[in-house]
Amino acid sequence: MAFVEKRQDVNLRTEGNQMEQYAIKGGNPLVGEVEIAGAKNAALPIFAAAAMTDETVYIDNIPDVRDIDVMLNALSVTGVMVKRVGRHRVMVNGGNVHNLTVDSEGCKKIRGSYYLLGAFLGKYKCAEVVLPGGCDIGSRAVDQHLKGFRALGAEVVIEHGLIKARAEHLRGSHIYMDKVSVGATINVMMAATLAEGMTIIENCAKEPHVVDVASFLNSCGANIKGAGTDVIRIRGVARLHGTDYAIIPDQIEAGTFMFAAAVTKGDVTVKNVIPKHLESVTAKLLEIGCEVEEADDCIRVVATKPPMHTQVRTLPYPGFPTDMQPQITVALALARGTSIVTESIFENRFKYVEELVRMGADIKVEGGDTAIISGVPRYTGASITVPDLRGGAALVIAALAAEGFTMVDNVKYVERGYEDFHIKLQGLGAQIELVETEKDFQKFKLKVG
Ligand code: UD1
C-alpha cells in the first residue's frame, strides 16, 4: 500500500463560516419538543470502522455537524469512497484505499481522526495518523491507544507529529487499560477485530458509543462480546462485510436540551433518545428539583422554580458525563446555596467559567478541577466568547436565561457538535439568531425589541 496523497472529488463540505455569532435575547422559558440527532461520538469511529471492509456500508442517523464533514473528508483523502445519500445517511466503500497517511489540517482539529489508526492497522497492518486535536480541555494523552496496539504486536512510534503503527501480523492479546478511555477502548477494539485469535481488553470504557461501535462491527461480521461492561472479548475474524446501520441518538445533545429546560424554567421534551443512556443526567435533574417524565424514546423535563444546589463529580459512564459538566454548572450557578462541581476526567474544562462570570455568575475554580459555585438569582446578557464545544453550548443556555441581550462569539465550536442548534432552540421559543456583523446584531435587537 503506497503512502500517496491523492484527493478525490466527493463534493463533501468544508468548514463553515468563521465569523458567525449568535445574537440572543434571554428570558423566554423554552417550551416544546425537540428531535435529537445521531451521536457524533459514535458516528466518528463508525466511519473509520466502515472503511475496514471492502464492501459497501450504509450508515444512517448521522448528525449533520462540522466534525462529521471533517472526518468524511479525511476518509476521502485516503481513497475511501464516501457519498452522502441524504442529510443523515452516508454510503462508505473502503475497497480502494490508496493512502494510509492521514495528516490533513482538518484532522489535526478533531479527535475522531485517530480512529483511522485502529481501523487501518487492523485492515492493512499499517497506518499513519496525525496526533489528534479536538477541544482544548486537557492534555488528552494517547498512551493507552499505543499500549493496546503494541500488545497486539504493532510497532508504534511518534515522528514528525504523526503516530505511525505497523505490524507483520496482529495477534490477539490480554490488555489491561490503566485509564478508562473511550478512544483507546474503541481504537484497540477495532484493530483487534481483524487480529488473529482472542483479545481481551480489561478496564474498558462503557459509554453507549463504545457499545454502538461494537454493534456496528458485529453487524459487519466481527465477533465482539462484552461491550458496555468492563471487559470486552474480541475473537479476530479474517474479514468484514457490508451492512446498513443506524447510529444511536446523541445523549449529550439530549442532556443539553434537558438542562436548557432546567435553566430557563421551561418544559422541554427530547425525542428520539434512549432514556437508559441519560440516567445520570436525569438523576441530577431530579435532585435539583425538576420534574422528569420518561417514555420509551422521549424524556420530558419541567422546571417551575430555581434549581436546588448540589454536588457533582464527573466520571466515566455510567457516572455523570464530563461532556455535561458545563451545562449542569450553568444550572447550579442559579441555585440557592453553594454547589460544588468536580471535574475528574479532563484538567482544563472550566474555561467557560470566565465568560459565565461576565454574565453575573459567582464561581471560583480551585486547583483547576473544582468549581465552587455560589448561586445568584439571575444572569445578565454580555458579550462572550465560546472556548470549546460543550462550554459553548452551556454559555448559550445561560444567555437564553439571561436578562437582556448576549452576543456569543466563536460559535463554530458549538456547530462542530450540535446539528441546527439555534434552529432547534428557536423551535422551543428561544430568541436566537445566527449573525455575522455588529450591524446584524443591531437589526436583531430592533426586531425582538
Ligand atoms: C471522548 C469524547 C469526548 C468525551 C470523552 C470522555 C470523542 C470524539 N470525544 O474523548 O467528548 O469528553 O470521550 O467521555 O468521542 N487518557 C489517557 N491516555 C489515553 C487516553 C486517554 O490518559 O491513551 C485520559 C485522557 O487524558 C482523559 C481520560 O483518559 O483524562 C478520558 O479520555 P478518553 O475517554 O480517551 O476521551 P476521548 O476519547 O479523547
Side-chain angles (χ1 to χ4, degrees), residues 40-41 109-112 114-115 131-143 145 183 322-323 345-349 388 416:
K40 165 182 85 75
N41 288 349
K109 292 189 195 143
I110 67 163
R111 198 82 195 141
Y114 66 12
Y115 289 125
L131 270 163
C135 285
D136 181 15
I137 52 179
S139 62
R140 309 194 80 167
V142 289
D143 56 307
H145 302 243
T322 171
D323 284 357
I345 311 287
F346 292 111
E347 67 270 23
N348 200 8
R349 217 163 187 179
D388 54 58
R416 281 182 43 193

Side-chain angles (χ1 to χ4, degrees), residues 106-278:
C107 287
K108 286 184 198 155
K109 292 189 195 143
I110 67 163
R111 198 82 195 141
S113 52
Y114 66 12
Y115 289 125
L116 287 167
L117 266 177
F120 285 170
L121 182 64
K123 189 178 180 192
Y124 299 110
K125 314 297 174 242
C126 186
E128 296 189 352
V129 177
V130 68
L131 270 163
C135 285
D136 181 15
I137 52 179
S139 62
R140 309 194 80 167
V142 289
D143 56 307
Q144 298 306 303
H145 302 243
L146 309 194
K147 171 180 164 171
F149 296 148
R150 286 181 181 130
L152 295 174
E155 261 180 50
V156 192
V157 292
I158 297 181
E159 275 177 2
H160 309 297
L162 293 173
I163 307 171
K164 300 181 177 180
R166 195 178 282 268
E168 283 296 312
H169 301 284
L170 288 181
R171 289 211 174 78
S173 180
H174 197 132
I175 302 159
Y176 180 87
M177 294 284 178
D178 302 309
K179 183 113 194 188
V180 177
S181 159
V182 171
T185 302
I186 292 177
N187 234 340
V188 177
M189 180 171 80
M190 288 199 291
T193 292
L194 293 175
E196 281 167 33
M198 177 71 103
T199 297
I200 298 173
I201 313 176
E202 290 202 61
N203 199 25
C204 296
K206 295 178 281 205
E207 268 70 0
H209 32 297
V210 174
V211 180
D212 209 33
V213 180
S215 305
F216 169 81
L217 285 167
N218 282 341
S219 79
C220 296
N223 185 346
I224 303 171
K225 294 195 172 120
T229 74
D230 292 323
V231 184
I232 299 181
R233 289 183 165 75
I234 305 141
R235 184 167 292 287
V237 296
R239 67 187 58 81
L240 298 173
H241 55 69
T243 189
D244 195 329
Y245 190 82
I247 283 168
I248 52 164
D250 194 316
Q251 79 267 26
I252 303 301
E253 186 197 8
T256 301
F257 281 103
M258 288 161 76
F259 268 95
V263 174
T264 63
K265 296 203 202 91
D267 178 348
V268 172
T269 301
V270 289
K271 295 174 72 181
N272 180 36
V273 299
I274 299 174
K276 171 93 187 132
H277 293 169
L278 284 150

